[in-house]
C-alpha cells in the first residue's frame, strides 16, 4: 500500500518475496531511496518557514500526514539520528506531534518568531563556542608553560616568552557539537 500525498509518493510496504532466501530485484535500491527521501523530509522540518508553508496548505489537518509524522519519530534513534545535519529538525518533529503547535504554526507571526529565536540561538552558540576555543588555547598555553617549568633545564635556559597558539591549532576534538570542552 502506498501513501499518495500532495507532496510525495512513498511506498510504505513491499510485496513479500517469492523466494525466502533472495530479496526482490531492486528492493535494496528502493529502501535506499526511501531512506534518502525520509532523511531529506525530516531535515526540512528544521525550517519554520517550511512548516508554515505546510500548515497554510492544510497538511497538518490530514490524518494520514499526521500519522506519517508519528512514523518519522524513529529518526530520534541514535542509529538514524547520526545521519542528520540539522538536529533541530527532531525538536520540530516532536512539536508537530502536538495539535496546538500545528495550529499555531499557520500564523506567519508565530513562524517569524520561531525563526528569529533560532537565529539568536545560533548567534549565541557561535559566540559561546569561540569563547570555549579561546579558553582551550589559554589552557594549552598554561600546560606548555608548566611543562617547560617542570623540565630539568636551568631557569636561565628556559624561555619565558609564550608560544603563539591560534584557535585553529586547538585540537578539533577539544570542542564537541554542544560547545563543551571534551577530552578524547
Amino acid at each position: 500500500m502506498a501513501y499518495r500525498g500532495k507532496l510525495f509518493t512513498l511506498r510504505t510496504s513491499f510485496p513479500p518475496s517469492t523466494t525466502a532466501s533472495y530479496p526482490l530485484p531492486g528492493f535494496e535500491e528502493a529502501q535506499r531511496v526511501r531512506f534518502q527521501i525520509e532523511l531529506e523530509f525530516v531535515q526540512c522540518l528544521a525550517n519554520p518557514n517550511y512548516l508554515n508553508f505546510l500548515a497554510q496548505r492544510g497538511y497538518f489537518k490530514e490524518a494520514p500526514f499526521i500519522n506519517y509524522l508519528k512514523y518519522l519519530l524513529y529518526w530520534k534513534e541514535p542509529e538514524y539520528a547520526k545521519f542528520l545535519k540539522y538536529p533541530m529538525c527532531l525538536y520540530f518533529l516532536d512539536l508537530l506531534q502536538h495539535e496546538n503547535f500545528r495550529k499555531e504554526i499557520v500564523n506567519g507571526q508565530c513562524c517569524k518568531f520561531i525563526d528569529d529565536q533560532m537565529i539568536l540561538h545560533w548567534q549565541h552558540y557561535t559566540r559561546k563556542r569561540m569563547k570555549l576555543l579561546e579558553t582551550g588555547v589559554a589552557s594549552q598555553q598554561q600546560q606548555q608553560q608548566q611543562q617547560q617549568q617542570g623540565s630539568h633545564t636551568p631557569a636561565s635556559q628556559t624561555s619565558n616568552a609564550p608560544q603563539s597558539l591560534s584557535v585553529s591549532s586547538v585540537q578539533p576534538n577539544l570542542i564537541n557539537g554542544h560547545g563543551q570542552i571534551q577530552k578524547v
Side-chain angles (χ1 to χ4, degrees):
M1 176 180 291
Y3 172 71
R4 297 198 186 279
K6 297 175 189 172
L7 290 178
F8 52 87
T9 302
L10 180 66
R11 189 173 188 110
T12 56
S13 64
F14 296 91
S17 176
T18 54
T19 60
S21 60
Y22 299 105
L24 291 174
F27 180 76
E28 288 182 18
E29 178 65 19
Q31 290 293 81
R32 187 183 63 75
V33 169
R34 177 181 176 175
F35 177 83
Q36 290 175 341
I37 289 170
E38 290 177 358
L39 173 64
E40 186 174 331
F41 179 72
V42 167
Q43 292 192 112
C44 286
L45 298 179
N47 183 346
N49 295 306
Y50 181 63
L51 297 178
N52 179 258
F53 170 85
L54 293 174
Q56 288 180 345
R57 280 146 186 85
Y59 289 102
F60 296 145
K61 294 178 183 175
E62 297 176 3
F65 193 79
I66 293 169
N67 289 337
Y68 182 64
L69 292 173
K70 287 179 186 173
Y71 159 76
L72 291 174
L73 287 172
Y74 76 86
W75 282 97
K76 294 176 71 175
E77 299 296 323
E79 63 206 44
Y80 294 100
K82 67 183 178 185
F83 295 104
L84 296 171
K85 288 184 182 179
Y86 309 105
M88 185 66 87
C89 66
L90 296 176
Y91 179 71
F92 285 113
L93 183 60
D94 279 339
L95 287 175
L96 286 169
Q97 305 303 314
H98 303 284
E99 185 178 356
N100 289 339
F101 180 76
R102 293 192 304 263
K103 287 180 180 177
E104 290 297 324
I105 198 66
V106 174
N107 183 350
Q109 290 177 335
C110 178
C111 172
K112 173 118 176 72
F113 176 77
I114 292 171
D115 196 35
D116 290 343
Q117 294 301 307
M118 285 178 57
I119 291 171
L120 289 172
H121 171 74
W122 290 331
Q123 289 174 341
H124 173 73
Y125 173 78
T126 302
R127 277 187 254 127
K128 185 176 177 181
R129 184 177 175 123
M130 287 306 296
K131 281 185 179 179
L132 288 171
L133 285 172
E134 290 168 0
T135 304
V137 168
S139 68
Q140 278 189 347
Q141 287 176 343
Q142 283 180 339
Q143 287 176 357
Q144 286 180 352
Q145 288 175 352
Q146 289 173 353
Q147 288 174 354
Q148 287 175 354
Q149 291 173 356
S151 66
H152 295 345
T153 55
S156 61
Q157 294 177 359
T158 307
S159 172
N160 289 335
Q163 294 180 355
S164 63
L165 287 177
S166 66
V167 173
S168 61
S169 68
V170 176
Q171 296 176 353
N173 61 0
L174 186 64
I175 306 294
N176 67 14
H178 302 289
Q180 299 168 341
I181 296 177
Q182 65 182 12
K183 299 269 183 178
V184 179

